[in-house]
């Protein structure tokens, strides 16, 4: 009888990516579930969580995505830096376009500060939209990492994909809390706050499957896809996570937390990948 690990390893990269995406969503839901045990959370803790998430995403962007993309391109010959550069900038450009075209509201901002086209959407909907935009690159990153296993590169292997999944899951727990708790503090019921907190990550398994399927059936674009996910994640960190974590004045705390998150993800990727 196959163990769970053996069964997982025998699945296709697309199926593996789907399960990994469900894992990262479940961790987000667990973080959002803290609203059932507390009504409020200290703002310093939220800012530290946001900083930690940013650090994990920055480290994952290099060790789990850009470095494998450069190595794959190098082994294929030609300009090894070109796919990484093109994919990275394209990922940021697509997220910038989404940021301008889709209405959303970042954590800690008033409804008057919502971005994108004007809309009558409620504050909670706009908040979920902002975090959903944030989670799409995370899901894509997990997906292309598992899809990259078919390239046969050591740096794009199953261990690296699992390390990335673990790192994304790690930062998703505080992310779920950072979404649900402010809604609870504004008077929303526990169930609704939890619902919106976990809802923001539902897109991750979908994006993971899309990412894995894309690179599985079009291996040539793998380095571009890996770099695209990295560019999208860095855009989210700089445009969203860092400003939000500094908004209440907890700059030093957020910065130290970011460095800790970066270190944790770096260790995970190097040790497991």
């Amino acid at each position: 009888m196959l163990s769970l690990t053996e069964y997982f390893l025998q699945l296709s990269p697309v199926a593996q990516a789907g399960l990994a995406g469900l894992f990262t969503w479940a961790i987000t839901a667990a973080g959002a579930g803290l609203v059932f045990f507390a009504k409020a959370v200290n703002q310093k803790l939220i800012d530290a969580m946001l900083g930690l998430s940013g650090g994990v995403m920055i480290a994952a962007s290099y060790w789990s995505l850009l470095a494998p993309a450069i190595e794959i391109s190098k082994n294929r010959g030609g300009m090894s830096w070109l796919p990484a550069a093109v994919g990275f900038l394209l990922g940021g450009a697509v997220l910038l376009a989404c940021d301008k075209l889709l209405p959303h509201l970042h954590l800690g901002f008033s409804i008057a500060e919502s971005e994108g086209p004007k809309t009558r959407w409620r504050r909670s909907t706009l908040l979920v939209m902002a975090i959903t935009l944030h989670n799409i690159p995370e899901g894509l990153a997990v997906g292309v990492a598992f899809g990259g296993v078919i390239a046969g590169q050591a740096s794009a292997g199953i261990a690296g994909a699992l390390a990335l999944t673990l790192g994304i899951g790690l930062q998703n727990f505080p992310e779920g809390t950072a979404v649900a708790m402010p809604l609870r503090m504004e008077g929303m019921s526990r169930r609704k706050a939890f619902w919106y907190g976990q809802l923001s990550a539902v897109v991750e398994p979908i994006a993971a499957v899309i990412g894995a399927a894309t690179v599985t059936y079009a291996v040539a674009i793998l380095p571009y896809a890996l770099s695209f996910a990295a560019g999208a994640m860095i855009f989210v960190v700089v445009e969203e996570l860092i400003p939000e974590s500094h908004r209440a004045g907890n700059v030093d705390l957020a910065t130290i937390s970011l460095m800790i998150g970066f270190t944790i993800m770096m260790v995970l990727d190097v040790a497991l990948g």
Side-chain angles (χ1 to χ4, degrees), residues 59-79:
S61 295
Y62 175 71
W63 270 279
S64 297
L65 299 170
L66 282 175
I70 293 171
E71 181 180 332
I72 292 169
S73 300
K74 189 175 183 179
N75 291 338
R76 290 178 179 178
M79 294 180 288

Side-chain angles (χ1 to χ4, degrees), residues 4 55-56 66 77 123 132 171 197 257 265:
L4 288 177
V56 168
L66 282 175
R123 175 180 170 80
T132 299
Q171 64 95 35
S257 299
M265 185 63 221

Side-chain angles (χ1 to χ4, degrees), residues 1 10 24 34 48 56 58 63 87 94 132 169 199 209 217 258-259:
M1 185 175 180
Q10 289 188 3
T24 59
L34 291 182
V56 168
I58 292 173
W63 270 279
V94 170
T132 299
L199 187 63
V209 168
Y217 298 108
L258 185 146
M259 295 183 70

